[in-house]
Amino acid sequence: MTATPAKPAERLPRTLGLWSSVALVVGITIGSGIFRSPAGIAQRVPHPTVMLLLWGLGGAITMCGALSLGELAAALPETGGLYAYLREGWGRMPAFLFGWSELVLIRANALGGIAVVFGEYLLRSLGVDPVDHWVAARCLSGGAIAFAAVANVRGANIGAFIVGIATWAKFAALLVLSLSAFLLGAGRGATVANLTTGTGAPLVLGSMGLALVSILWAYDGWADLTFASGEVKDPQRNLPRAIILGTLAIIVIYALTNVAYLYVNPIGTVAQSRLVAADTMLVLFGRAGVVLVSVFVMISSFSSLNGSMLASPRVFFAMADDGLFFETIAKASTRSASPRFIGCGACGPISLVLIARSATRWCRPSS
Amino acid sequence: MVPAIFVIAVAGFVLNSLVHDPVPTGITFALILAGVPVYYIAFGARGARR
């Protein structure tokens, strides 16, 4: 890899410190996946011990990626992250295809899917059925995307502030859920036997591989901080630390949460539960627990949406700076020092179309 | 060593998805490859600005 000369336009100020960066990693990664994906994973892997081992394996693979990327991020702390590494390592065309995938597939699906989850859970937390009021749910989803876009256009600090608050809230929520399960579960039917007793259905290697993909989807987001590398203070020191610390925190909280789910619910119940966190809280706290978890899923989804919106348009900014995207995108706002047309100029319209078409019916559940 | 483990693992997931879930995986590849003509038509001719 060759050393990159200083960009002629280092227009985005370095405002993100270590803990803001860690919060960004955690905030983007913990979305709706940990609340939704265990059901699909349990259907593919009908044995709790194997399921937990797969979550551990997913965490180990993610950590391998985090360690690798941490080194790259320290060597090349540029806005665009993975795009910049691909450009330096493989050339403009592969880098463009990565940015293209971000635009038409990865980010659009993620933003649309996460926003849909946010809208539905916001209504559910208010006691309104999102299925009966799907127009309102979609409007709220579109509003969430617009709000996150405006907050991030105003500057990375505002976006990072929102992510920071919401991140610690949902991290605490998962911790409370796990600790509540371990402290209160025994009196409400939870048993350690749930962690070792399968349904008796056979384990299939291919299905386990697909389950692992779902697990990695829940872990997805750990690399997104690199997109905003150009805005991290002291990047050689803070970027690798933030990626590794953030990923480690996610691995620990995911492990605790999955053990808590399986301690309270038999794996057959987890497999049938579209919202396993709600069912766990229902066992522990009754209906109030369901409302509480709905609020937290909503916060979690919005935080993930906002973090994704904060990080990903930096890829298009870097592409435009290289002449691989529309030049207007490369212009930073002089007032906020944030890339113009963030979200609303790139991912926003696609995400809104996805929402209008009820994208989550054919997209994978978002993390 | 660590990057090699990550690359091998991820390559395995892609292959597994192609074998066990070919339609969505194939559509995903088609959408990614649709970027090749876009690159050459819209942006490829431009020289690097850096």
Side-chain angles (χ1 to χ4, degrees), chain A residues 12-310:
Chain A
L12 302 180
R14 295 190 180 276
T15 53
L16 300 172
L18 175 63
W19 294 110
S20 293
S21 303
V22 171
L24 200 55
V25 173
V26 176
I28 294 171
T29 305
I30 303 177
S32 59
I34 188 64
F35 301 107
R36 273 197 171 180
S37 63
I41 294 164
Q43 284 164 17
R44 293 185 190 278
V45 185
H47 196 285
T49 312
V50 179
M51 182 175 157
L52 290 174
L53 285 173
L54 283 179
W55 274 96
L57 182 60
I61 292 167
T62 302
M63 185 48 83
C64 286
L67 289 168
S68 309
L69 211 64
E71 201 172 327
L72 276 173
L76 203 67
E78 277 190 32
T79 294
L82 289 169
Y83 161 79
Y85 314 149
L86 283 168
R87 184 195 62 218
E88 296 303 315
W90 297 89
R92 285 162 59 85
M93 163 71 127
F96 172 81
L97 284 183
F98 170 74
W100 168 261
S101 306
E102 275 284 323
L103 181 67
V104 301
L105 270 174
I106 305 167
R107 207 52 55 176
N109 273 345
L111 293 180
I114 294 168
V116 166
V117 173
F118 170 82
E120 289 180 349
Y121 276 95
L122 177 53
L123 284 185
R124 194 163 291 169
S125 65
L126 295 172
V128 178
D129 186 349
V131 177
D132 292 342
H133 298 85
W134 65 272
V135 175
R138 297 298 179 269
C139 288
L140 287 170
S141 305
I145 288 181
F147 182 82
V150 169
N152 283 293
V153 166
R154 297 290 297 172
N157 268 343
I158 297 175
F161 178 72
I162 293 172
V163 172
I165 289 181
T167 295
W168 299 122
K170 66 188 177 187
F171 197 86
L174 286 175
L175 209 56
V176 166
L177 185 147
S178 305
L179 293 177
S180 303
F182 301 136
L183 294 174
L184 306 174
R188 290 168 173 77
T191 167
V192 179
N194 284 344
L195 299 172
T196 54
T197 311
T199 61
L203 291 166
V204 180
L205 197 61
S207 295
M208 286 165 64
L210 291 176
L212 205 43
V213 171
S214 296
I215 289 169
L216 288 181
W217 177 253
Y219 278 114
D220 188 36
W222 54 270
D224 286 7
L225 174 65
T226 64
F227 298 159
S229 295
E231 291 154 89
V232 175
K233 293 175 192 168
D234 192 6
Q236 275 81 8
R237 180 175 169 273
N238 285 338
L239 266 172
R241 285 184 179 193
I243 292 170
I244 292 165
L245 279 175
T247 305
L248 207 56
I250 293 158
I251 290 171
V252 170
I253 198 68
Y254 277 11
L256 280 175
T257 306
N258 276 289
V259 171
Y261 288 157
L262 289 166
Y263 176 55
V264 174
N265 308 285
I267 192 155
T269 307
V270 173
Q272 300 303 318
S273 172
R274 276 182 57 82
L275 193 59
V276 65
D279 288 340
T280 304
M281 292 295 272
L282 184 65
V283 170
L284 296 172
F285 296 106
R287 296 298 306 169
V290 175
V291 173
L292 191 68
V293 85
S294 295
V295 170
F296 279 122
V297 173
M298 188 191 83
I299 292 171
S300 180
S301 304
F302 181 75
S303 167
S304 190
L305 173 72
N306 189 63
S308 204
M309 189 75 86
L310 172 70

Side-chain angles (χ1 to χ4, degrees), chain B:
Chain B
M1 184 65 181
V2 169
I5 293 170
F6 182 67
V7 169
I8 291 167
V10 171
F13 295 138
V14 173
L15 283 176
N16 187 63
S17 298
L18 267 173
V19 171
H20 290 94
D21 212 4
V23 174
T25 312
I27 292 171
T28 303
F29 274 108
L31 279 170
I32 294 170
L33 290 175
V36 175
V38 174
Y39 173 80
Y40 284 112
I41 293 167
F43 303 109
R46 297 185 194 175
R49 288 166 43 185
R50 305 170 57 240

